[in-house]
Amino acid sequence: MATVKLKDVRKSYGPVDVIKGVDIDIDDGEFVVFVGPSGCGKSTLLRMIAGLEDITSGTLEIDGKVVNDLEPKERGIAMVFQTYAIFPHMTVRENVAFGLTIAGASKEEKATKVAEAARILQMEHLLDRRPSQLSGGQRQRVAIGRAIVRDPKVFLFDEPLSNLDAALRMDMRMEIGKLHQDLGASMIYVTHDQVEAMTLADKIVVLKAGEVMQTGSPMELYHNPENLFVAGFLGAPSMNFLDVDVKEQDGASAVVSNPSLDAIKVETKGRPIKGGDKAILGVRPQYLTPTAPSEGMLHGTVALTERLGSETVVDINLRDGSSIIAAISEDRVMDRGTEIGLRFDAAQAHLFPHEEISSAAH
């Protein structure tokens, strides 16, 4: 186990800046997830930690030691790739032991470590099979087993579940979570899937265009996003955003409304919002409660209903021509064209400066 610190880390390919001065602290034994849209630099950042990409400037410390110029094998890390990278002509046992074989480990050491990794991953019965005889999830376990036997200070995962189907992804996500609890190791995990980020992470680092947008616990980012980008990226379905007029601003609050929204008072949370401005109001679909049209704060008509059993997702056309989504925690039938009101707790809403719209584009 080890700490990992990135201090003003940058990566450029010629004139193109890919990573733009990143500062991240990862505690001993912490599970940290880098998340963001495609092209945001999360995999590049992981490869820089692994030593597979050079660092243009800044410092990378692992366990208190600057490792910028160390080879990957000298950094005390083990990486699990998206494509498994296991050898088809070797058995599972030989694949898991491969790194130990290269390092010149004794037969006894290899046998002991492979047996322990197989026990942790519950794949003792697979050790004599070849990769062609394994499912996708089993192949991913082999790749993880090969990382475990090296006793690394830090585990690195580069979108390890993206090649699996939905059911297997959920199973393997749980397995990786259990692995972290069992080993207590420092883990850095890259994904574009915000559900994986929310369920696995002790700490999430949200990246966009090579910059850190926000760092914090999953619930901290979910309930208190610092900007429009983070608010829209985390959460499923995504947060609703409404254009509103700021009628007045008084200290830490502002009164906002639009043709579909009755005037409500919302905390500005220190953001630069003034009376007479345009602003963006964010409300999560889960916080919207359907009610009679006359009792709603928001007003519109039902456009589409998706009944998912434990939840009903309703697409609603508002009076001003925009649309929002409500996620109701029950199974309900709502006919298309039905007039509807929606209520929500203004304390759970977020207000962002209108200028953030262009900078929040993915």
Side-chain angles (χ1 to χ4, degrees):
M1 295 187 292
T3 58
V4 180
K5 295 183 182 296
L6 293 86
K7 300 177 182 178
D8 195 26
V9 168
R10 297 173 183 269
K11 177 66 179 180
S12 301
Y13 296 103
V16 180
D17 296 327
V18 179
I19 302 295
K20 305 169 184 176
V22 165
D23 295 289
I24 301 171
D25 286 348
I26 298 170
D27 295 333
D28 192 7
E30 195 169 33
F31 197 126
V32 175
V33 176
F34 296 167
V35 69
S38 297
C40 71
K42 54 188 183 295
S43 289
T44 299
L45 199 56
L46 192 76
R47 291 173 64 84
M48 291 163 73
I49 295 171
L52 302 177
E53 293 276 359
D54 293 333
I55 296 173
T56 302
S57 65
T59 58
L60 167 64
E61 295 181 9
I62 297 178
D63 208 14
K65 179 181 180 181
V66 176
V67 300
N68 289 45
D69 299 322
L70 293 185
E71 293 295 318
K73 64 182 179 181
E74 299 172 324
R75 298 189 179 199
I77 57 94
M79 190 161 177
V80 179
F81 296 91
Q82 175 181 346
T83 54
Y84 316 141
I86 56 179
F87 299 105
H89 63 286
M90 293 182 180
T91 64
V92 168
R93 190 188 310 277
E94 291 166 338
N95 266 289
V96 172
F98 181 75
L100 298 174
T101 302
I102 295 299
S106 67
K107 187 175 181 180
E108 292 74 17
E109 181 183 1
K110 287 194 290 186
T112 299
K113 289 190 172 182
V114 169
E116 177 62 11
R119 183 193 65 79
I120 292 171
L121 296 170
Q122 298 180 354
M123 60 178 194
E124 295 100 323
H125 60 295
L126 302 176
L127 289 176
D128 295 316
R129 295 187 188 179
R130 295 192 184 275
S132 60
Q133 299 172 295
L134 304 178
S135 68
Q138 289 169 337
R139 292 180 192 181
Q140 191 56 273
R141 289 186 188 210
V142 174
I144 294 171
R146 189 167 54 195
I148 289 174
V149 298
R150 296 183 57 193
D151 293 328
K153 295 178 181 178
V154 184
F155 285 83
L156 307 179
F157 294 88
D158 189 8
E159 304 209 41
L161 309 184
S162 60
N163 288 335
L164 305 179
D165 63 35
L168 269 178
R169 275 203 307 273
M170 186 173 68
D171 290 344
M172 284 304 301
R173 192 167 68 228
M174 293 177 66
E175 290 298 327
I176 291 173
K178 291 175 185 175
L179 179 67
H180 178 245
Q181 292 177 353
D182 291 343
L183 299 180
S186 303
M187 294 185 175
I188 305 174
Y189 187 104
V190 160
T191 182
H192 64 276
D193 186 333
Q194 52 95 16
V195 174
E196 287 180 21
M198 294 291 291
T199 54
L200 283 172
D202 297 320
K203 181 161 66 186
I204 294 176
V205 178
V206 182
L207 293 157
K208 172 178 171 281
E211 297 181 89
V212 174
M213 293 289 100
Q214 190 174 351
T215 299
S217 70
M219 288 300 101
E220 180 184 348
L221 269 59
Y222 183 82
H223 291 299
N224 298 295
E226 290 181 357
N227 51 63
L228 201 60
F229 179 82
V230 175
F233 192 82
L234 292 178
S238 297
M239 183 181 286
N240 296 298
F241 295 117
L242 303 170
D243 289 316
V244 293
D245 297 310
V246 182
K247 299 300 184 182
E248 59 183 271
Q249 189 265 334
D250 178 20
S253 300
V255 176
V256 300
S257 68
N258 71 15
S260 304
L261 174 70
D262 298 341
I264 61 169
K265 182 180 284 190
V266 183
E267 290 185 17
T268 60
K269 299 180 180 178
R271 298 187 178 105
I273 294 167
K274 303 186 298 295
D277 283 354
K278 294 283 188 181
I280 303 294
L281 181 73
V283 185
R284 294 209 177 274
Q286 293 81 4
Y287 298 159
L288 293 171
T289 302
T291 187
S294 60
E295 298 175 3
M297 300 155 65
L298 274 164
H299 310 276
T301 58
V302 174
L304 180 68
T305 300
E306 293 181 287
R307 298 171 63 198
L308 306 177
S310 60
E311 182 181 67
T312 302
V313 177
V314 188
D315 192 348
I316 299 153
N317 291 331
L318 299 178
R319 289 177 180 174
D320 65 353
S322 63
S323 63
I324 62 171
I325 290 175
I328 307 163
S329 58
E330 57 183 284
D331 183 16
R332 290 185 61 173
V333 177
M334 304 189 75
D335 295 330
R336 183 177 181 180
T338 302
E339 289 192 21
I340 189 173
L342 294 162
R343 299 193 65 81
F344 60 92
D345 183 351
Q348 295 178 316
H350 301 272
L351 204 57
F352 302 98
H354 205 266
E355 293 73 26
E356 282 196 23
I357 292 177
S358 58
S359 63
H362 290 191

